[in-house]
Amino acid sequence: MKLEPYWLATAPKFGAAASGPVSGKVDVAIVGGGFTGLSAALALAKSGASVAVLEAGRVVGEASGRNGGHCNNGLAHDLGGLAQTLGLERASALYRAFDVAVDQVEVLIAREAIDCDFRRTGKIKLAAKPGHFAKLEKSAELLRREVEPDLVVVQPRDTRSEIGSDGFYGGLVFPRGAHMHMGRFGVGLAEAAARAGAAIHENAAVTGLHRLSGYAHRVVTPRGELEAKQVLLATGASRQGPFAWLRRRIVPVGSFIIATEPLSENLAGSIMPTRRTATTTKNIGNYFRLTPDNRLIFGGRARFALSSPTSDAKSGAILQARMLELFPQLAGTRIDYCWGGLVDMTSDRLPRAGERDGIFYSLGYSGHGTQMSVHMGQIMARVMGGDTAANPLAGLDWPAVPGHFGPPWFLPFVGAYYRYQDWRH
Ligand SMILES: Cc1cc2nc3c(=O)[nH]c(=O)nc-3n(C[C@H](O)[C@H](O)[C@H](O)COP(=O)(O)OP(=O)(O)OC[C@H]3O[C@@H](n4cnc5c(N)ncnc54)[C@H](O)[C@@H]3O)c2cc1C
């Protein structure tokens, strides 16, 4: 078993990174070479701006290359619950922003000819306990009326037409959900940005950010420094760099994934005949999908811990046991890859984007961001050009998480709370 993300291990290497020191003057410096930063770089470079991306590691080396491979439309929230806090109009508008985001991913893939197996398979949200189906069915009315007209309710007795497991009790099918190969998409996106003229520096962690007069910011990395008129922070769950204000608002939460060996056509068909992306109704639930070569990619918040090779391997063992509980037909199936990543969680699980003290930012996708990060990269390119009305996230207030100053010491307690909730309801 390899302790690395399947997506990165099976993607071509990014071959167009800028060489030499970080130096000079640019219109825009982008901190972070995940989907948000690369998508913004592509849009800004196409609009004629000079752009430098400063990435601490390798492009898409963090959440963008370590996720579950789902690219689903809509919100992961319960729409009714969110409407209670934001009002139905705002909640529905946010839901639709995620629909547009998947459309934009699809358009970008076609325009830049990125070979990444993008497929609109639909998503199924599965009831993980018998009592959860009634809640799903109830939420379906509002979803259908407001945002998801083609939603399908799968009755508990029909679950096996969707999933070859006795562990679920009906569900909802969201037909516009999609999936893709995240590594091939990310490298294709980075290459498109480089082709458009963006200089993409890998291994260039930003360690200092200083305000200047005239040219507005000095951006410092161990590989040199540059001056930029504008700066966009696209740093996800970053734990490095001078971004204390963001770190008080983003909680880095580990999420873990395993990928099986390729399954036979029969076995893959017996597990997920419709090949959708799948999520479940539990707080600490699982998410899974098949790849085109029939591997099962199976993830979850197996433990409330950060990601590291030891932590990933421990979580992988828990995930494998859970996978076998749900799909006993996979007994004897080899696990080829196991990895983890950090989710950039906000307290209400909604992303945030805007400007603070002359610095732009977009992050906090809370585990549902493969589509929105790409979309928000494009949106922030417009916002930085003066079109502030383009930002669908504008106006969401963003207080610091109480007691959170960086290291997420409280995660085990949060984990225990959610486990209790899952046991009770
Ligand atoms: C395990 C896991 C599973 C997920 N599954 C899904 C899923 O199935 N579907 C879905 O929609 N979403 C999923 N997500 C979320 C999704 O992957 C993210 O929302 C999305 O990729 C965020 O992209 P980003 O560019 O904002 O952040 P990232 O991809 O994290 O990129 C941020 C980049 O900033 C760099 N950086 C940080 N600090 C500095 C610094 N000081 N200087 C320079 N660079 C810096 C980092 O190295 C990193 O490359 C998952 C996330 C994880 C971790």
Side-chain angles (χ1 to χ4, degrees):
M1 180 176 80
K2 293 183 182 152
L3 286 175
E4 62 179 318
Y6 166 73
W7 310 123
L8 296 179
T10 56
K13 293 273 173 281
F14 171 53
S19 54
V22 172
S23 64
K25 292 183 178 186
V26 289
D27 293 323
V28 185
I30 296 174
V31 189
F35 293 166
T36 305
L38 294 170
S39 164
L42 173 60
L44 285 159
K46 284 212 165 181
S47 74
S50 57
V51 179
V53 176
L54 302 160
E55 163 53 48
R58 61 185 279 192
V59 294
V60 299
E62 296 303 326
S64 299
R66 296 180 159 269
N67 54 61
H70 303 203
C71 186
N72 291 322
N73 72 297
L75 289 167
H77 297 67
D78 169 51
L79 183 65
L82 192 62
Q84 279 174 8
T85 45
L86 294 182
L88 185 55
E89 201 178 323
R90 184 83 210 257
S92 301
L94 286 171
Y95 192 101
R96 290 193 195 97
F98 280 77
D99 297 347
V100 174
V102 182
D103 297 344
Q104 290 305 316
V105 171
E106 191 170 21
V107 167
L108 193 153
I109 289 169
R111 194 187 67 210
E112 302 297 337
I114 301 176
D115 174 16
C116 62
D117 294 323
F118 177 91
R119 291 182 199 179
R120 290 261 190 187
T121 50
K123 164 185 120 171
I124 184 159
K125 183 160 188 180
L126 291 157
K129 289 185 167 187
H132 291 186
F133 177 71
K135 283 188 208 148
L136 283 181
E137 207 173 25
K138 187 154 176 281
S139 71
E141 289 167 31
L142 182 67
L143 283 166
R144 255 207 212 107
R145 196 178 69 227
E146 296 297 327
V147 290
E148 200 68 58
D150 298 324
L151 185 82
V152 178
V153 176
V154 179
Q155 294 296 326
R157 63 175 176 277
D158 299 327
T159 310
R160 275 199 165 260
S161 65
E162 289 282 343
I163 297 286
S165 169
D166 292 329
F168 301 109
Y169 308 89
L172 301 179
V173 171
F174 300 73
R176 290 175 291 171
H179 59 55
M180 61 181 170
H181 188 300
M182 294 293 164
R184 297 212 316 253
F185 172 73
V187 172
L189 178 60
E191 276 168 358
R195 262 195 319 271
I200 302 176
H201 299 269
E202 294 185 304
N203 303 311
V206 170
T207 51
L209 195 51
H210 309 282
R211 202 63 190 263
L212 302 173
S213 54
Y215 257 90
H217 305 272
R218 185 156 60 91
V219 188
V220 181
T221 81
R223 287 185 47 202
E225 40 186 82
L226 53 73
E227 289 181 16
K229 287 182 191 158
Q230 291 183 308
V231 174
L232 172 66
L233 302 183
T235 44
S238 174
R239 304 182 76 215
Q240 55 181 320
F243 313 125
W245 187 81
L246 291 176
R247 270 200 284 278
R248 291 213 54 201
R249 286 157 177 82
I250 299 275
V251 180
V253 177
S255 192
F256 305 91
I257 302 179
I258 49 177
T260 66
E261 64 182 310
L263 309 176
S264 69
E265 205 59 46
N266 275 348
L267 192 51
S270 83
I271 287 170
M272 301 188 85
T274 50
R275 306 186 81 95
R276 305 189 197 285
T277 60
T279 63
T280 79
T281 47
K282 277 194 180 171
N283 289 306
I284 309 182
N286 295 105
Y287 46 92
F288 44 97
R289 55 159 286 197
L290 290 169
T291 59
D293 68 344
N294 288 339
R295 294 174 191 275
L296 182 68
I297 308 270
F298 187 89
R301 206 159 296 142
R303 295 156 60 248
F304 270 71
L306 296 179
S307 170
S308 70
T310 333
S311 182
D312 296 356
K314 276 189 196 161
S315 299
I318 296 171
L319 285 173
Q320 186 178 14
R322 179 69 187 137
M323 179 186 83
L324 292 176
E325 259 171 57
L326 291 172
F327 301 112
Q329 58 272 55
L330 291 181
T333 299
R334 200 178 63 231
I335 304 299
D336 279 353
Y337 298 90
C338 168
W339 69 95
L342 290 181
V343 171
D344 51 347
M345 200 68 91
T346 61
S347 54
D348 60 5
R349 293 182 297 124
L350 287 172
R352 295 296 194 282
E355 180 189 353
R356 182 178 179 270
D357 288 347
I359 295 184
F360 295 85
Y361 59 86
S362 183
L363 65 176
Y365 307 100
S366 303
H368 183 48
T370 58
Q371 57 313 78
M372 202 58 176
S373 54
V374 178
H375 184 42
M376 285 310 298
Q378 297 171 342
I379 293 277
M380 290 314 287
R382 288 168 56 189
V383 169
M384 294 167 86
D387 181 8
T388 48
N391 182 3
L393 306 170
L396 293 172
D397 66 341
W398 201 14
V401 177
H404 176 43
F405 301 98
W409 56 269
F410 43 82
L411 281 187
F413 303 102
V414 177
Y417 170 76
Y418 281 128
R419 262 185 213 103
Y420 175 66
Q421 293 296 330
D422 281 340
W423 170 77
R424 245 183 101 212
H425 300 290

